[in-house]
């Protein structure tokens, strides 16, 4: 922060009242410039002009011109070399108005002013920039022009990182007197808030090291005080800049800030070994130069951004098209041309967890590691629409081992339940950064010494543009998901309606079929009773055959009814005790078969979630099946148990028998309706049992399967997969 | 008091005939009054003032054209003259909700139509024993 009311000693300041023309204040180096105050009485007052009239310093013509200029915007400088009451030498005054006061900045004129046509230099710059094909070329030219035109030893472009506030020397033009600082990074502390403000208000500043102390004001500057730090070319600079200039052993530093959309984008920072003063004309040139560069820069970056956006849009449109036309999201994501990986530059890999499928593209960690990252993210950042970092291990230590593919991640959930995700991965980008300054804790006088830092474990950062296009993409995917989902629910509804109709149909038909069936059986029976004795044996046999077939048909109807009932009842979901279910089923079967059956029960068994009555039916059918097919063994063994399939406790229940077993070709067929694999004679009323089992299990979001080989028994595995619900909830 | 009669509301001729045949095999079988529809049965029950002409038992099929068995049951149970008449619903359905509905409507019993004639005969025998012979001992009026 520049000290209040101080200026650099090469210039001086005079402030006077616009009406009375009395001097209110002036810098304390005035005497050095113009000699002792001849009008003052006594030696003590010889160095002050405060309260004296302005005519003791300037001629009446000059004063008249100053008063006129005070009303102008950007008045020209006023030369002071002739006809003044004091000797101003080759100096000029710049007039600023501050309410009732008028502020004069009196500075030496640069010898260069006389030899140069600044407007032509500016035209040269402008033409040069117009020919530049890239931002780099333009800024390189700018550095060269600045150094040569202003007679500086080094001109660099210092670009400020919008995110970190650090700056880096991006372009440089220099002679042999000063070393190169190209590529060197400076910390945020070197470019404090104050400097930023100054650069916005006054784009051009100069600072020259002097053996003289800064000049302070004598008297009362009044309203003019607030102008001193902002409008004067001779204002002092902020501490970090002073330290920098002193420690790199230069005499003068000139800065020209480049602003794009009211933000400081970068600063031309130029140095000279020998002391150098830019007078008002040169500062004005520098300012125009800065404006020209800023404008060209902003049109360059706008063009570039436009082109990039257009290219990216085209690519994205193709990727989206792929996804929208694919039969599933996973298929759409995995299409190669163009790959989803190309969607965002510098993407190393993508992991997708969607529709119960895991998909990885490019370089990704293993599925387990990805799932762990997702679990962590769901816990820590589950509520965010999008989460990203360029330094995952900084927040998630296990990622230290995943630097080569997941140094940086960006992830976004695809559904509200946070179970479907897209994870964008970036590999480590090792960066060797040369800092031109130390951290704040450096010793005084050593601040601006080079330090080298290697940034490890970081990926390239996610830029705003990339983030917004990823957001776009996610919105798009979510729409696709929603569209698919609503389409699916529509199909589901139609399917359900058709299914219900079919249920109703089979229910009615079954009942209606029974009446004529009773007729067939009944009349056959009556025929037998009343006329049996008069019939031949063969005729009686035929009647029995009629009755046998009626009984078979009756069984079919019973089975169809049972199957249709399974689809119609509401499930009342509970965590059921499997041992209890098995005991009930065994008791029922014992009663039905008329002989005891033995079942080995593994203990303990986890609970089975589902509808108690329906699950009882499952066990009854599976056990009855096991009994039936193992009945011909010398010792029939039936076992009920549970096998764990993963670490989360998921697994399958099983019912194993040592019966005749089933050929693998038939493993799917057995779950169909009326697909008995044995002859009619063995028919014992279970042509539909396994179909019922499968229907029940599927209604419980589960699956049932068989493992069996002929002659070595059969094992039926099944599981249910219902969400944890409030006990007794009906679904 | 009551006539030794059973009312059967049944639209299916075959079922009715089986019932008749099963009944006729009993000792001293009651007379069967067969109505082919719910409406016919209702008119038959309410069309006469003489309470002693009411049957001892009504057996109703559920599925009938026009007034079905359950509607007929509700009418019987809400009519002062007939509300004490024991009514058995007989249906080929063994769906739990059908059974529950019948009892909700005031049925005194629910029987699933046996699929075999032999079983029907046994069932009719039980009905006769329980609803006719046993109930004859108790007054049917309040």
């Amino acid at each position: 922060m520049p000290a209040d009311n101080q200026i650099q000693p090469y210039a001086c300041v005079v402030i006077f009242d616009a009406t009375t023309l009395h001097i209110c204040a002036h810098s304390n180096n005035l005497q050095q410039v113009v000699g002792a105050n001849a009008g003052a009485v006594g030696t003590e007052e010889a160095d002050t002009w405060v309260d004296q009239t302005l005519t003791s310093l300037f001629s009446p013509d000059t004063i008249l011109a100053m008063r006129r200029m005070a009303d102008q915007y950007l008045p020209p400088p006023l030369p002071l070399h002739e006809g003044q009451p004091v000797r101003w030498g080759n100096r000029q005054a710049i007039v600023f108005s501050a309410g009732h006061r008028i502020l004069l900045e009196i500075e030496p004129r640069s010898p260069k002013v006389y030899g140069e046509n600044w407007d032509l230099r500016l035209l040269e710059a402008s033409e040069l920039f117009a020919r530049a094909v890239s931002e780099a070329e333009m800024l390189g030219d700018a550095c060269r022009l600045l150094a040569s035109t202003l007679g500086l030893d080094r001109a660099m472009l210092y670009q400020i990182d919008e995110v970190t506030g650090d700056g880096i020397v991006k372009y440089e033009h220099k002679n042999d007197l000063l070393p190169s600082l190209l590529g060197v990074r400076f910390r945020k502390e070197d470019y404090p808030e104050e400097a930023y403000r100054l650069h916005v208000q006054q784009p051009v500043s100069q600072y020259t090291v002097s053996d003289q102390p800064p000049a302070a004001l004598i008297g009362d500057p009044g309203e003019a005080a607030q102008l001193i730090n902002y409008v004067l070319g001779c204002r002092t600079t902020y501490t970090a800049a002073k330290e920098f200039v002193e420690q790199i052993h230069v005499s003068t530093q000139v800065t020209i800030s480049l602003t794009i959309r009211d933000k400081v984008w970068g600063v031309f920072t130029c140095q000279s070994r020998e002391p150098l003063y830019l007078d008002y004309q040169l500062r004005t040139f520098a300012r125009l130069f800065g404006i020209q560069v800023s404008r060209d820069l902003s049109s360059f970056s706008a063009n570039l951004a436009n082109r990039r956006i257009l290219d990216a849009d085209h690519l994205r449109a193709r990727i989206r098209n792929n996804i929208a036309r694919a039969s599933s999201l996973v298929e759409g994501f995995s299409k190669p041309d163009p790959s989803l990986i190309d969607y965002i530059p510098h993407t190393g890999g993508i992991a997708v967890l969607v529709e119960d499928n895991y998909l990885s593209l490019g370089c990704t960690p293993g599925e387990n590691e990805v799932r762990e990252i997702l679990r962590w993210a769901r816990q820590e950042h589950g509520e965010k629409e999008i989460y990203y970092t360029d330094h995952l291990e900084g927040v998630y230590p296990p990622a230290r081992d995943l630097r080569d593919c997941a140094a940086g991640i960006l992830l976004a959930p695809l559904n509200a339940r946070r179970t479907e995700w897209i994870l964008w991965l970036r590999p480590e980008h090792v960066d060797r950064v040369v800092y031109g300054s130390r951290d704040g804790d450096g010793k005084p006088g050593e601040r601006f010494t080079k330090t080298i830092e290697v940034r490890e474990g970081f990926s390239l950062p996610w830029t705003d543009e990339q983030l917004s296009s990823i957001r776009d993409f996610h919105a798009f995917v979510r729409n696709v998901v929603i569209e698919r989902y609503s389409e699916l629910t529509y199909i589901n509804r139609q399917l359900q309606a058709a299914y219900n109709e079919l249920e109703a149909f089979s229910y009615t038909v079954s009942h209606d079929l029974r009446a004529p069936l009773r007729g067939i059986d009944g009349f056959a029976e009556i025929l037998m009773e009343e006329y049996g004795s008069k019939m031949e044996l063969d005729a009686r046999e035929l009647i029995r055959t009629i009755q046998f077939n009626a009984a078979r048909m009756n069984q079919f109807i019973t089975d169809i009814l049972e199957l249709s009932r399974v689809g119609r009842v509401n499930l009342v979901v509970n965590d059921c005790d499997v041992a209890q279910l098995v005991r009930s089923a065994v008791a029922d079967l014992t009663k039905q078969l008329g002989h005891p059956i033995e079942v080995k029960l593994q203990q303990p068994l986890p609970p089975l979630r589902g509808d108690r009555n329906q699950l009882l039916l499952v066990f009854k059918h599976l056990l009855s099946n096991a009994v039936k097919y193992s009945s011909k063994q010398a010792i029939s063994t039936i076992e009920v148990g549970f096998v764990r399939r993963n670490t989360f406790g998921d697994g399958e229940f099983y019912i194993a028998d040592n019966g005749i077993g089933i050929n693998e070709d038939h493993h799917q067929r057995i779950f169909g309706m009326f697909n008995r694999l044995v002859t009619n004679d063995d028919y014992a009323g279970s042509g539909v049992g396994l179909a019922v089992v499968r229907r029940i299990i599927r209604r419980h979001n589960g699956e049932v399967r068989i493992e069996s080989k002929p002659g070595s028994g059969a094992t039926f595995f099944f599981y249910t997969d219902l969400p944890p619900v409030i006990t007794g909830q009906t679904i | 008091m009551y006539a030794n009669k059973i009312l059967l509301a049944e639209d299916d001729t075959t079922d009715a005939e089986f019932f008749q045949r099963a009944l006729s095999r009993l000792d001293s079988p009651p007379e069967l009054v067969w109505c082919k529809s719910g409406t016919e049965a209702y008119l038959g029950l309410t069309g006469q003032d003489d309470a002693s002409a009411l049957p001892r038992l009504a057996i109703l099929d559920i599925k009938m054209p026009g007034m079905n068995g359950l509607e007929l049951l509700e009418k019987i149970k809400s009519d002062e003259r007939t509300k004490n008449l024991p009514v058995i619903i007989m249906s080929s359905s063994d769906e739990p909700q059908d059974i529950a509905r019948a009892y909700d409507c005031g049925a005194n019993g629910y029987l699933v139509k046996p699929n075999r004639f032999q079983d029907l005969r046994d069932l009719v025998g039980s009905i006769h024993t329980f609803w006719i012979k046993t109930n004859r001992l108790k007054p049917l009026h309040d």
Side-chain angles (χ1 to χ4, degrees), chain A residues 156 191 278 304 320 394 488-490 608 643 655 667 695 723:
Chain A
M156 2 183 239
Y191 188 70
L278 298 192
L304 197 70
R320 287 167 179 211
L488 213 61
T489 35
Y490 174 70
L608 177 59
V643 271
I655 290 168
H667 283 186
R695 199 160 205 182

Side-chain angles (χ1 to χ4, degrees), chain B residues 35-55:
Chain B
C35 306
K36 291 187 80 153
S37 74
T39 319
E40 186 187 329
Y42 184 66
L43 292 176
L45 285 171
T46 54
Q48 44 199 312
D49 299 331
D50 184 6
S52 64
L54 280 176

Side-chain angles (χ1 to χ4, degrees), chain A residues 452-523:
Chain A
I452 294 172
E453 276 180 23
V454 178
R455 262 161 56 105
E456 282 184 339
F458 283 81
S459 71
L460 288 173
W462 304 93
T463 65
D464 284 350
E465 188 194 324
Q466 291 163 358
L467 290 177
S468 81
S469 72
I470 286 185
R471 282 200 180 92
D472 270 6
F473 180 76
H474 282 273
F476 161 75
V477 170
R478 258 175 249 151
N479 278 342
V480 170
V481 171
I482 289 166
E483 227 167 76
R484 290 255 163 86
Y485 178 77
S486 53
E487 205 171 296
L488 213 61
T489 35
Y490 174 70
I491 293 170
N492 266 345
R493 260 203 307 272
Q494 283 192 320
L495 209 62
Q496 190 60 46
Y499 185 72
N500 289 345
E501 218 166 275
L502 193 69
E503 291 289 353
F505 174 76
S506 63
Y507 174 77
T508 321
V509 162
S510 315
H511 280 108
D512 289 350
L513 277 178
R514 278 222 159 119
L517 198 57
R518 277 195 300 274
I520 295 168
D521 179 67
F523 284 116

